[in-house]
């Protein structure tokens, strides 16, 4: 079964450093998402991306965050200057339509020290 | 925005028991999915069920969209069913965004 893949699985970074989390969505999917989950809490929506632009973003997704689809297969989340409170599991997801099943990757665990 | 409430927050079962998890939502939805988050943090798709009833092995789900709730049934529970079960709904924005509930933490004891 096709799956969403994410790298790295775990990253430790110093506060203030830039981080890029990478994702390869399922190949025929058109909608891409990033979510995050702080330890012990629920999963929160960050951003949705369609047709090479952001279609919706949450209030969490401030100017420190950006997304990019640099080629036909990758979808990245960049955090410009990490803060301690950015420590979380970040999930990439994709779907072939806005109302269809959304498939999640295994997550990238980010620890900011 | 849409509010999603799951109950119970925690559930402990003996292996072999059955259980029902509930998800209430505050507005009409165009997407509803149930996920199982395993101990490694992976979110496993269980059902895409904005309405109707589906079954997959020991699991089944029912969504009554007009009454704004969904139920996940687990029969003959096994220790591997342990983890957190999330309900997530999509609103009318058509961006595909999902709004997650707080989850139900299930522990199945041998």
């Amino acid at each position: 079964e096709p799956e969403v893949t994410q790298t790295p699985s775990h990253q430790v970074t110093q506060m203030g450093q830039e981080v890029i989390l990478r994702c390869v969505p399922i190949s025929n999917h058109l909608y891409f998402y990033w979510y995050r989950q702080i330890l012990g809490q629920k999963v929160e929506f960050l951003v949705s991306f369609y047709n090479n632009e952001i279609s919706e973003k949450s209030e969490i997704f401030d100017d420190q965050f950006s997304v990019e689809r640099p080629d036909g297969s990758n979808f990245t989340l960049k955090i410009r200057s990490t803060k301690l409170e950015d420590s979380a599991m970040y999930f990439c997801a994709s779907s072939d339509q806005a109302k269809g099943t959304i498939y999640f990757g295994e997550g990238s665990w980010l620890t900011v020290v | 925005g849409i509010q999603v409430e799951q109950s119970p927050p925690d559930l402990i079962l003996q292996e072999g028991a059955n259980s029902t998890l509930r998800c209430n939502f505050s507005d009409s939805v165009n997407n509803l999915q149930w996920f199982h988050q395993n101990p490694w943090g992976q979110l496993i798709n269980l059902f895409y069920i904005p309405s109707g009833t589906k079954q997959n092995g020991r699991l089944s789900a029912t969504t009554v969209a007009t009454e704004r709730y969904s139920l996940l049934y687990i029969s003959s529970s096994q220790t591997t069913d342990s983890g957190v079960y999330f309900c997530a709904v999509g609103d009318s924005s058509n961006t595909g965004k999902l709004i997650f509930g707080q989850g139900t933490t299930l522990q199945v004891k041998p």
Side-chain angles (χ1 to χ4, degrees):
Chain A
E1 183 177 305
E3 57 182 23
V4 177
T5 58
Q6 291 185 238
T7 54
S9 55
H10 189 194
Q11 181 162 354
V12 181
T13 190
Q14 295 271 348
M15 193 168 52
Q17 294 296 304
E18 176 183 283
V19 162
I20 297 176
L21 304 178
R22 303 180 192 279
C23 169
V24 179
I26 295 172
S27 62
N28 63 335
H29 285 186
L30 302 175
Y31 295 81
F32 314 115
Y33 315 90
W34 284 99
Y35 289 77
R36 80 170 187 191
Q37 185 181 30
I38 294 171
L39 187 63
Q41 297 187 20
K42 68 178 181 179
V43 180
E44 300 173 288
F45 169 78
L46 291 179
V47 65
S48 59
F49 190 89
Y50 170 72
N51 202 25
N52 280 320
E53 61 182 21
I54 291 173
S55 47
E56 187 171 357
K57 60 183 181 180
S58 71
E59 56 191 30
I60 302 168
F61 195 89
D62 61 21
D63 292 344
Q64 293 299 315
F65 292 89
S66 62
V67 289
E68 194 177 30
R69 188 155 162 82
D71 53 42
S73 58
N74 290 285
F75 180 51
T76 62
L77 174 70
K78 181 192 288 186
I79 309 174
R80 236 175 297 281
S81 176
T82 49
K83 304 173 214 171
L84 294 176
E85 54 265 37
D86 293 328
S87 295
M89 178 80 96
Y90 288 82
F91 291 103
C92 175
S94 71
S95 62
D96 62 353
Q97 50 184 302
K99 297 181 185 180
T101 304
I102 297 175
Y103 295 88
F104 282 71
E106 294 186 351
S108 293
W109 183 249
L110 176 65
T111 302
V112 183
V113 297
Chain B
I2 292 181
Q3 305 298 312
V4 182
E5 292 185 7
Q6 292 186 242
S7 60
D10 301 282
L11 187 57
I12 301 174
L13 298 176
Q14 262 334 105
E15 201 168 26
N18 303 328
S19 62
T20 301
L21 282 55
R22 187 175 179 104
C23 172
N24 291 333
F25 41 95
S26 61
D27 205 342
S28 57
V29 299
N30 62 17
N31 187 347
L32 191 146
Q33 292 183 230
W34 282 97
F35 296 90
H36 175 215
Q37 186 166 42
N38 64 22
W40 297 270
Q42 294 176 290
L43 285 169
I44 310 299
N45 273 308
L46 298 177
F47 294 102
Y48 167 77
I49 187 164
S51 63
T53 298
K54 289 186 179 179
Q55 178 154 8
N56 184 4
R58 295 180 298 104
L59 302 182
S60 63
T62 295
T63 298
V64 183
T66 52
E67 297 187 23
R68 299 181 185 167
Y69 73 89
S70 183
L71 302 173
L72 177 69
Y73 305 97
I74 305 174
S75 64
S76 304
S77 57
Q78 301 175 358
T79 56
T80 50
D81 295 332
S82 296
V84 184
Y85 289 81
F86 287 105
C87 165
V89 305
D91 61 17
S92 58
S93 66
N94 245 13
T95 60
K97 174 182 81 175
L98 288 176
I99 302 149
F100 280 72
Q102 294 279 5
T104 292
T105 301
L106 173 65
Q107 183 183 359
V108 181
K109 294 187 170 182

